[in-house]
Amino acid sequence: MDKKTLLANVKGLGKAANPGLGVAMKNKWIGKGEGGLIERKVNVAEIPDEVQAQLMKVKKEEEVNAKTLKDLKKRKMITSQKINWYKVTKGPSFTLERKEVATDITQELLQGDKWKDCEFKSYSMTIEPKMQSVGALHPLLKVRTEFRQILLEMGFSEMPTNNFIESSFWNFDTLFQPQQHPARDAHDTFFLKQPKECLKLIDDYVERVKTMHEKGGHGSIGYRYDWSLDESKKNILRTHTTAVSSRMLYKLAQEKEFKPRKYFSIDRVFRNEHLDATHLAEFHQVEGLIADKGLSLSNLIGTIKSFFTRIGIDDVKFKPAYNPYTEPSMEIFGFSKELKKWIEIGNSGMFRPEMLAPMGLPEDVSVIAWGLSLERPTMIKYGYKNIRDLFGHEVDLDLIYKNPLCRY
């Protein structure tokens, strides 16, 4: 075969000739001659077929180096196949008869001598059990349970909080909150369209509340405005659980003989607020109050410190504040060990006489109260940065399933 014929044959093979051409050039079996033509350098009979030799080694299951195997696989001359095989032999417990193994000590075994010859199944204490597909408590419910238990241990009784819908009378007016107060505006409160107004109020109590707002009493001059019954009847989604506290204090005032009381509540409230990482339109409020004679601000401070110490906040400070229905009023600040900084954790105060007198409570009875949200302590406890990851449609259900127990 002449040089031209060799070049034509190589080109006629197309891309299939490239691997062999490269090997031949590398081993100097062929080379470029005059005019760029490919010419043979050695006699074909003198060239050993190493690929065939390697393939024969593979066939005979002889040892072949890894690089050669890789090259053969790349050229699709061989494929790898994994074969598993098992050897079955007699074990220490081998027997030709099937014997029942006991998994528990029963009454029937102990009544006779059968237990002496019975073989018991061994138990492994190191194998982790299979996780059961069961329900899980939301972190808010876990913290709520802890708070509830703490307050019960402190001698408080839980108030009924099953009415999310409240009249403006019990939510605002009974608390001596004026009807022109910004908190009663639609920008802060959700008003109901249907039913728009409550059906019934306590007439004599309404009259006393009206008089207190318009003219005052017990040393107060009131707000000096025309109080509206229609405004008071408007139904809303309650903005705080203090509406429940107001109902309970009125009920307490109707008893023939006054007895000291300690009440608390933990439930949902609603406010028309701007939504962000720390605020939602609905949240849970924790509230506690004590009604007794001779109470002072020191009693309030001591009770608050006792509660917060039980939930891990030992260092507490107070700042004067304003609330329409408490005087004096204080904001509560605590040092968070988790966040390593001071944070606002609640509000507090002593209910004003303008609120308590219309209810009919004795003049020497004082009521101290404080409140905080449930979401903030829960976020700190479980490390949430965004309240929407804790409460709402964006909550990760798997995260709720896996979150740990709450212990203070």
Side-chain angles (χ1 to χ4, degrees), residues 102 125 189 224 293 322 348 359 379 392:
M125 301 301 178
T189 303
R224 302 296 179 94
K293 297 179 180 180
Y322 168 77
S348 64
M359 294 178 177
M379 291 176 68

Side-chain angles (χ1 to χ4, degrees), residues 151-217:
L151 289 165
L152 290 173
E153 291 173 358
M154 293 175 65
F156 287 80
S157 300
E158 190 167 12
M159 296 184 284
T161 56
N162 55 341
N163 53 324
F164 289 172
I165 298 175
E166 189 60 270
S167 67
S168 295
F169 177 77
W170 288 104
N171 195 87
F172 297 121
D173 292 298
T174 61
L175 304 180
F176 196 58
Q177 192 162 340
Q179 294 182 339
Q180 300 85 5
H181 195 280
R184 301 181 67 155
D185 189 80
H187 293 292
D188 293 302
T189 303
F190 291 107
F191 288 87
L192 269 66
K193 291 184 178 180
Q194 187 67 29
K196 187 175 182 180
E197 296 182 348
C198 66
L199 298 177
K200 186 179 180 181
L201 294 173
I202 305 170
D203 294 337
D204 58 338
Y205 182 37
V206 169
E207 196 61 34
R208 294 196 297 270
V209 170
K210 175 183 178 182
T211 302
M212 185 61 72
H213 277 250
E214 292 182 343
K215 301 177 182 179

Side-chain angles (χ1 to χ4, degrees), residues 304-322:
I304 292 172
K305 285 186 175 181
S306 177
F307 172 77
F308 281 104
T309 298
R310 291 169 182 255
I311 65 172
I313 301 178
D314 304 321
D315 203 353
V316 178
K317 292 182 178 180
F318 301 89
K319 175 184 175 182
Y322 168 77

